[in-house]
Each structure stands twice: as C-alpha cells, then as structure tokens.
Amino acid sequence: MKRILSFIGASMLCIGAFAQPNPSTFCNPLDVVIGNERAYRGGEPVVLIYQDDYYLFVSHRKGYWYSPDFRNWTYVDAPNYPGGVVSVVEQNGQLIGCSMNNRNVYRSLDPKKGIWEKCGELDSDRYGDANLFVDDDGRLYLYYGWSQIMPFKVVELDPVTYKEISEPVPLFFSDIKNHGFEARKPEDVIYSIFNGRRDYFEEEFPWIEGPWMTKHEGKYYLQYAAIGLEFISYSHGVYVSDSPTGPFTYSEHNPLTFKTSGFQVGAGHGSTFHDKSGRLWTICMIPAQFGGTGRGSELAIYPTAVDAEGVMYSNTALGDYPQFYPDTRTGKGADNYADWMLLSYGKRTEVSSTAKGSSPSNALDENFLTWWAAESGDPGEYFMVDLGAEARLKAIQLNWDHIGAKTQAAGGSPFGGGQAALPEHYQCYTVEVSSDGSNWTKILDKSDNRQEFRHDYNEIPSGGVSARYVKVTNVACYDDALFSIKDIRIFGTAPAMFRKVVDDVKVVRDPQDRRVADLLWTPLKGADGYVVRYGIEPGKLYNSYIVYGGNTLHMHSLNTAPEYYFEVEAFGSGLPEYRENTLQTKGTGAEIQLLKRKPGERVSGYTMGSDTIYHMVKEGVDEYVFENVTPGYWVLSHSYGPVFFNGELTEKELISTKDNPAPTYVQDCTEMGVGTEVRRKMTMEIIPGKTSGKIVVRISDVR
C-alpha cells in the first residue's frame, strides 16, 4: 500500500495564503510524517537513487519512501522488507538489503510495490550495523562495526549466494587520545541512556558504529559514526583508501559532519549519497527531545563535497538554516545555504500567558532543549515576535513542543516505535504579520492541520513578505497539551544585514591535551552570532561551530597531530538589538502577596499556600489585581516584609449588585522612590463584586 509521505518539504503542503507549493529550500531538523500517523523517528537513514527516484530508508520500519524530486515522497508498506537497522544497495538492476545482526539477505525487483523476497543467507548473524557495498567490478562487500572496543571490519560476499568468501579484515578502532571529536565528554550528554543507573566516565570509549562506504572518483571513503546519539557531539568521521578492503588512512580533516551548537545539533549514523547531478550529501541521525522529556532521533541533511586533493568534507556551519534542494543547489563545493539571516534570535516578545517554569525568551534562544508554553492549550493563546524594524521575511520554521500532554507520542514514547491512538488533528494555528503591530495580514492558516509537523518549515513565495511583527496564534492543541514552542525561527533579509570576518582572534591550544583549544575574540557590534571555522590547511577550514550570545569558545574536537588554522566570521541581521529590561519583564524584586488567615494568626517569613496570591512588582506596571476575595480575615504584605493591610472584610465591603461599583475602602500602603527622593506611592482599594470582591493595588506618581 502506498501513502504520501510528508518529509523535508512536507510542510509546504499546508493550507495558507502564503503556502509554497514547490519550495526551493528546506531547513533542518526534518520531520518524517506518514499521512496522519504521529511523527516517526528518523534513525540510521539510508538514501540512494534507483531507477531515477530517490529512496529513503530509516530503521525499524517495515517500509520506506521514494521521490522524484526530494520534496514529494510516497511511502510504501513492505511487510517482507528486512526492517531493523538496514543497508540497501542496487545490484544488477535490483535492490538488495540486509539488516543488523540478521543472516537473511532480501531483494526487490519492483520496490514501489513493496514486494521483497529472501535471496540468500549470511553465515553469521553478528554483523552489527551491516553495510553492503557493490563495487564497479561487481564484487560485493559487507562492512560492519558497532562497539566501544571492537573494530570496523570488512568481509567479501559471493554476489550470487551472498555467502562469505573471505575472512573478516579488521580496518580501524577508535582513538580518543588523538581524535578529539571521538571523546565522550560528560558535559556533552543530552540525556542519559543509563536512566540514573550509572554516570558516564570522564573519557569512556566511544561507540564506533554505522559504517557506510562511498566511492568517489576512484577513492573509497569509509564513513563511521561516533560517539553515541545521547551526546550533543554525535558526529561522523571518514577513513580513505585506494582499495575497498584497505588499508585505510584516517583523514586528519575529520570530523566529516559535526554540529554541537545552534538549534539543531548532532550529525551521526547516516549515509553519504550522490544526487541526480552527482553532488554529494550526508544524511544524519540527530538527537531530539519532545514533550519536555524523553529521548529520540530525527534527521538532518548537509551538503558534502570532495576537494581537488581528495578530501571529503561537509558544510555544517549554518546547518540549521535554509538550504537548497538537490535540484536548486548551485553553490560550489559544499556551499548550499540560502543567504537568509535568522531575524528572530533574541528579539522582543509578547505572549498571551506563560506557564510556570517556562519563559518567552526560550522560544527565541536557538536551544532545542528549552521551551515556552502558555498557561493553556485554549484557542487564542499567542506568541508575538517584534523584529525591531521591518524586514523581508522569506521563511518561518515553527518548532513545536508538547508540554503537559497526556499522550506524548506513538507507543508512549516521544519519538515513535509504535502507534498510540491518533488524534483528530495535530497542532493547529495561524501566522499573521504586521508592519505597525495593529493591522495584521494572515500568511499561514493551519486551522485544520492533520499532520504532526514538529519542525514546521514554511517558505514564503513571491520573494517573501515585508513585516516587523510576526504573531502565531493557537487554534487547537492535541493530547490536552499546552500551546508550547521550542523555537520560532524567522528567516529573511534586511538592508543592513552583514557577514564580516573578525580580525583579532586569540587561540590557546592546551599543551597537555592538543585535542582542546580555547578561543577569544573582540565582539562585533550588531552581531547576532559567530561562525568559528577551523581546519588543518589555510584554504580548507572545513569544520565549524556557531556561537550565539558570546565571544568565546571551548572546543575539544581537534586531532592531536596537525596544527590548525582558525577564522571567526560575525553575522548579523542588521535589525535593532533587543536587550531585555528585566525590571520590566521579570520584576524589581519586590513581591506583594495576599493571604487569608484567622484573626490574630501570626504571619512571618515567606508563605506558601493554595490560598496565597502573589504579584511581582514590575517597572511600568501600575496596577495589580487580587481576585476572588471572599468575606474573612485578609493580610496584604510583601514577602519577608511589612504588612500593608490586615483586617476582617465583610459582605458590606465585598458584595454589591451594582455595575462598576466604587471602592468601599481605600488605604495608602507606602511611599516609593529612589535614594532620598520620594517619586511614587502605593495604595490599595477594595472593590466589591456580585459574588466576591477584589483588592487592587495601584502605584501612582507623587504630584
């Protein structure tokens, strides 16, 4: 059975005035969504071209996808397909595949029909992360390796019977003393796979896994993943040889794919493939988190190239910014990114409400582990971004979270692996833009969204739209979750945006551990962030980090042997910088509280209770309302401070049938000021209501 897959460009299938039907760009991380199923995990991906279609395989799924253009994908159910952690290659006009630690080899003459049959059997079922490779001469090899202590190996197979016809040859082991990116650092742990049973050792051996062979211009590039999905530094390296069985030489330009900073992190266990134009790409499994907890995996794709000297490298510098599809990719080498800035980082926000434990700034911080949530999942909850000035908006990526959900995802796991009950809809919302904050234009309407896009990327057609304000409004949540967002990422252009290399960069390489270096540079005014590039030759700075909110970097990804060259490039949107006034947004540090107590009961210290109402005094806020005041003895004070009011409030003060009744009681609370100067005063009013009253604390200027 075939079903349409919404993957990579899938979010363009949405309904909306500005929905792009045939986008030229996509943006990591990537969703894997099949119809109205819940989003599926993107594990151990394999991509290849077969009969002029792209095929995508991910682990633990009895099915796969194909696409003519890398945008519109069709899913195929294949009950007899091997599943598990798979390897699939083309051999003599057919697809053959096998699975990790499984003897059986399968083939399909027409994979679009999902029909597979067993065609051979290996002698062993101990081939961890098996990878089949067919050389140009028709010889067939199996690479395998999945261990902290065992090596990668290769064995030659009979291309007809698939039986082993050579002894396994050890190829290489991990080498944490000399390969910095292979070192497992406890500070890089995103989530523990040990569930508290033990800690990570200071330098525990890495998992070396996921072999993948790519032949390019006569060279054999054997790709491997290190160090484990649960680490932010999950990555790829590569060894090179003139022969499929070695000997292999470590590339000192490693890592091949490495991304530890920005919204999307991680770049491990995947495959490198040629597109229809012969250009290289590397698709990776990356760590993910959804619903405020759990662990899982998603997908990311990076442009890859081989330079004139045979060095394979990828471009992950802005790996989570919009980049072009294979048929729109025109850049040289591994250059593939649209020249669109992230306009929304650190900008001013306005929200309908904020749930305890979250902050609006979390949704603009480029950190996938933080989130903002409204107090409810009700229609009308909203998140507004003020860019500070008008800009040309080209695309928007809405990275949803699922805070407070009763059902997190399929099979009770945040990342698939089973099918929980399917909701009638997924996150439904609208996006509006404005130039003045008053007059709004709807550019995206997903009020009836039936697909679980967690990284909902929408390219805006016709060259984009000009706006200063962007407002995302909730229509409906699902699984009883709060309206919650990991990050809103708005991409586009502005007249003063820039990219500029920083002149004064200081690098200190640890003499006791050459894998480690610390960088410092003078911050550039107006910079939103910095791309730190490094490499072992001046013209080959193939590796990178991205730094937001600082001008220093500690790195432990260097190889011990070579010397390194570094470059820091500042980038900025050119939009006005927003600095949060915490006195205004978080409070001045004076908290006022209203408590209901028995007459004569002593109140001291900080009182926590269900009957206590709190307000933090904030700059620019002149009114604080305490609702639902019923007859009884009440105390108004500030925490750990003196009492402003205490006394018995009766129905006479609190109950009235009149509309807009006048206060029944007014009292001065305190003077307020700075230094020796009295500038303001605080007063309280008791205002009756039909069933209960309220106490209003007002702050006004002293005349």
Side-chain angles (χ1 to χ4, degrees), residues 242-270:
D242 293 323
S243 165
T245 57
F248 283 86
T249 301
Y250 177 79
S251 173
E252 292 289 356
H253 293 270
N254 278 336
L256 173 66
T257 58
F258 180 83
K259 193 172 187 305
T260 63
S261 48
F263 179 76
Q264 176 262 303
V265 298
H269 200 148

Side-chain angles (χ1 to χ4, degrees), residues 201-216:
F201 302 129
E202 181 61 29
E203 290 220 12
E204 188 171 327
F205 283 139
W207 283 90
I208 300 296
E209 60 187 32
W212 184 263
M213 173 58 75
T214 302
K215 188 175 184 180
H216 185 83

Side-chain angles (χ1 to χ4, degrees), residues 269-567:
H269 200 148
S271 59
T272 295
F273 62 95
H274 293 86
D275 65 19
K276 291 183 179 182
S277 299
R279 290 179 291 249
L280 289 166
W281 301 79
T282 301
I283 185 168
C284 302
M285 176 167 65
I286 63 172
Q289 182 168 288
F290 188 64
T293 185
R295 63 187 182 93
S297 59
E298 295 171 332
L299 298 180
I301 297 180
Y302 308 104
T304 301
V306 175
D307 68 19
E309 287 71 42
V311 176
M312 180 180 281
Y313 65 100
S314 295
N315 186 352
T316 64
L318 297 174
D320 47 13
Y321 281 41
Q323 57 179 307
F324 294 107
Y325 279 104
D327 61 359
T328 54
R329 176 178 169 182
T330 59
K332 295 181 180 179
D335 183 14
N336 185 48
Y337 296 103
D339 190 22
W340 301 343
M341 287 291 178
L342 177 63
L343 305 176
S344 49
Y345 173 73
K347 291 298 188 284
R348 188 182 76 84
T349 66
E350 178 186 298
V351 298
S352 54
S353 65
T354 297
K356 186 176 181 180
S358 73
S359 169
S361 62
N362 289 349
L364 301 176
D365 66 356
E366 289 296 277
N367 184 347
F368 84 103
L369 294 175
T370 65
W371 46 269
W372 164 84
E375 290 180 342
S376 76
D378 296 340
E381 295 276 18
Y382 70 87
F383 189 103
M384 190 272 289
V385 182
D386 176 4
L387 301 178
E390 192 159 291
R392 193 71 180 172
L393 313 187
K394 301 284 190 175
I396 179 170
Q397 185 191 50
L398 295 147
N399 299 279
W400 302 109
D401 216 324
H402 209 44
I403 303 302
K406 290 183 178 179
T407 303
Q408 287 190 320
S413 162
F415 308 101
Q419 275 304 321
L422 300 179
E424 293 183 0
H425 59 78
Y426 291 97
Q427 181 61 61
C428 299
Y429 65 96
T430 62
V431 177
E432 299 169 283
V433 297
S434 172
S435 294
D436 58 9
S438 298
N439 300 294
W440 296 88
T441 299
K442 187 180 294 184
I443 66 167
L444 186 62
D445 190 342
K446 288 199 174 182
S447 298
D448 189 28
N449 175 38
R450 303 301 177 97
Q451 293 182 299
E452 192 181 34
F453 298 121
R454 297 174 181 173
H455 307 288
D456 197 349
Y457 178 72
N458 298 273
E459 183 180 314
I460 303 172
S462 304
V465 59
S466 294
R468 170 175 172 171
Y469 302 91
V470 178
K471 185 178 182 181
V472 182
T473 303
N474 183 44
V475 174
C477 296
Y478 62 107
D479 296 335
D480 293 326
L482 303 177
F483 183 56
S484 45
I485 301 170
K486 285 186 177 294
D487 266 71
I488 294 176
R489 310 179 72 222
I490 302 166
F491 298 98
T493 60
M497 70 181 195
F498 67 90
R499 296 174 70 169
K500 181 180 179 180
V501 174
V502 177
D503 294 328
D504 56 335
V505 180
K506 299 176 179 63
V507 181
V508 178
R509 196 168 180 183
D510 189 338
Q512 303 300 319
D513 186 351
R514 286 174 54 81
R515 302 170 304 173
V516 176
D518 288 280
L519 281 71
L520 169 69
W521 57 92
T522 301
L524 191 63
K525 184 178 180 180
D528 295 322
Y530 303 86
V531 176
V532 180
R533 296 185 176 88
Y534 65 101
I536 64 175
E537 297 180 47
K540 299 183 179 184
L541 307 184
Y542 293 151
N543 295 300
S544 63
Y545 290 79
I546 189 168
V547 176
Y548 291 101
N551 61 315
T552 63
L553 174 65
H554 175 77
M555 55 193 301
H556 58 76
S557 56
L558 305 181
N559 297 311
T560 301
E563 299 299 328
Y564 278 88
Y565 298 84
F566 299 83
E567 177 186 273

